[in-house]
Amino acid sequence: MLLVVGGNSHNIGKTSVAAAVIQSLPEAGWTAVKITQYDAGECSTGQSACRCDGSEHPYTLSEQTEPASTDSGRFLAAGALRSYWLRTARGNLGYAVPELRKMIRTSRNVLLESNGVLQFLRPDLYLLVLDASVKDIKDSARWFFNRADAYVFVGDEQRVPYWKGIPTRWLREKPGFRVTPPGYASEELIRFVQSAMGKVSPIATLP
């Protein structure tokens, strides 16, 4: 199964929701990948001395070997069998897709934290994490908003969130699950993921 977890903005709990799913379903044997996209022109290695502008190092994939407070470390701490951090400049994510496809072929279940990866892969399940108190919405979330299989509402805000260009009816047409810290999961959400896992079809990649 390929599960993608995205969100409307930064720092709203996407990693916490992803880690909660991993922790709730340890038998799935997850391979988890945190995908970070930098501003165009930055080197994926993060080394200021490298002046390749992303051309020599279009992406960097690092395996997390120990539980830690980093996002990929949190996945490992939650029970993932393998955890990685994929870093790339905006516009270069496509270079890493062959590596991701290989990972998908050789893993039981894969969780990717990203919106942008939907440009290249069609997951079995796409969860879009939303925080109604955050007015910002990333372009990648806007582009794929209606492709979500379910929306995960973070926090206590009960009103229907509104972002310009996003019809509120979309939020009513798909399943919605509310989660709150510190657990960031609900029995209903986990049952929904379990149900999807039981209906997995071969992963289709976009041309």
Side-chain angles (χ1 to χ4, degrees), residues 173-188:
E173 292 172 351
K174 305 285 182 68
F177 305 96
R178 185 165 300 281
V179 300
T180 56
Y184 285 95
S186 67
E187 292 184 7
E188 293 79 10

Side-chain angles (χ1 to χ4, degrees), residues 14-148:
K14 298 185 300 294
T15 300
S16 295
V17 170
V21 170
I22 292 171
Q23 187 172 27
S24 299
L25 299 169
E27 68 279 4
W30 296 100
T31 294
V33 184
K34 166 73 175 188
I35 299 177
T36 301
Q37 296 191 66
Y38 299 110
D39 291 333
E42 292 188 28
C43 177
S44 65
T45 63
Q47 298 177 8
S48 57
C50 183
R51 302 181 182 279
C52 75
D53 295 328
S55 56
E56 292 182 29
H57 309 112
Y59 73 92
T60 299
L61 181 67
S62 304
E63 182 171 7
Q64 183 77 31
T65 58
E66 297 289 341
S69 59
T70 62
D71 290 350
S72 55
R74 290 173 63 190
F75 292 155
L76 211 58
L81 291 184
R82 294 184 294 170
S83 182
Y84 298 87
W85 184 21
L86 173 63
R87 306 180 295 286
T88 180
R90 298 189 191 283
N92 283 351
L93 181 56
Y95 289 101
V97 169
E99 193 82 40
L100 292 175
R101 286 174 174 161
K102 179 181 178 182
M103 193 180 295
I104 292 165
R105 290 195 304 269
T106 57
S107 303
R108 287 178 55 200
N109 294 287
V110 175
L111 185 154
L112 306 179
E113 185 187 325
S114 169
N115 292 315
V117 75
L118 295 179
Q119 298 173 75
F120 308 99
L121 299 173
R122 182 169 291 121
D124 297 292
L125 187 64
Y126 173 38
L127 301 178
L128 187 56
V129 179
L130 304 174
D131 187 336
S133 68
V134 176
K135 304 299 183 182
D136 176 56
I137 180 169
K138 298 190 292 185
D139 287 340
S140 58
R142 189 183 300 278
W143 296 334
F144 303 114
F145 204 100
N146 200 33
R147 280 183 55 184

